[in-house]
Each structure stands twice: as C-alpha cells, then as structure tokens.
Amino acid sequence: TKEGQYVSNDRGRTWYLLTSHPDYQRATVVCPSRTEPGTIIAGADLVGIARTTNSGATWEAPSPGLTLIVLSIAIDPSDPEIMYAATFSAGVFKSVDAGVTWKHAGPDSGVVFHVAVDPVVHSTVYASTSLGVMRSDDSAATWRLAGQD
C-alpha cells in the first residue's frame, strides 16, 4: 500500500505494518520462494524487482537491468534460480540467479501481462501479450505467436 509493507503470519487472517517508507512504490506482484523460507521477490511500479531474504524486514535495492513496471513473475518449477518477469513496456526479463540480476529475454511485443513456465516441459515459456499469446520453446531465447507453427 502507499503506507508501506504489510505482513501476515497467520495465512492472511490478520495483517500488521512491517515497514513504512515515504518513497515506497506499490507492489504489483509478490512471489515467495518455494525453496528458501523468507525469500520474496516483488515487482513494483517503476521500480522493477526488489528482493528480501528475511520475510520483508529489509529489502535489497531493485535488481540491475530491470527498473520497469512488473506485472507478473514466474519461477521455473525444475530450477528455482530461473525466473521470468513480465513488464508493462519492454517484454519479458529473465533471471538465472534467483532474481538478483535480470536481462531482457524478449518478446518485442509491447505489453506482457503475464508469463508462465510449462509445468512439464520447463524450457517452454508462455507470455500473454498485447499481440496475443507468445510461446518460447527454448527458455525465452526465441519467441513466436502460439498456434502459428
């Protein structure tokens, strides 16, 4: 919220203000780590990706290479180090170090609303874009419109 970060320790029944920052940006997506308790990756308006390893008590500076509006984050089910972020204006970004650094991974299609990794074939990544659903079969190295094989 605009007041700061809230946290719940009882599965969302109650919430309390964890930190208050006057320059805090609204989180657009929050993605907890499945393998590292306390690690959370959060996308925020015009900030990019922030990362915490202590359940939000402190946050690392936004990740280099990604300072855009992030709409969605997906984690590779076979390798939690590999993550994808959908952005409002610059396509998909990929991290191979659990969200510490990010690099542009296409597609060049304007807005990417959502990104997902296939739960069976982990090298297949889908992106819901302003042009339609895009598909990559090589871990986001190349992209094409889905259904146009």
Side-chain angles (χ1 to χ4, degrees), residues 29-124:
V29 62
V30 177
C31 189
S33 171
R34 294 183 315 244
T35 58
E36 296 178 40
T39 296
I40 302 167
I41 307 296
D45 283 351
L46 303 175
V47 174
I49 299 282
R51 186 172 186 270
T52 179
T53 56
N54 56 15
S55 300
T58 59
W59 290 84
E60 298 171 10
S63 300
L66 180 53
T67 56
L68 303 164
I69 297 172
V70 176
L71 300 176
S72 169
I73 299 171
I75 300 174
D76 185 321
S78 66
D79 184 352
E81 296 285 309
I82 299 174
M83 299 179 170
Y84 301 90
T87 68
F88 181 75
S89 60
V92 173
F93 281 71
K94 181 178 179 180
S95 174
V96 294
D97 56 12
V100 176
T101 60
W102 296 83
K103 291 187 179 175
H104 185 259
D108 295 321
S109 60
V111 179
V112 177
F113 301 101
H114 190 77
V115 64
V117 179
D118 189 292
V120 178
V121 181
H122 306 130
S123 60
T124 301

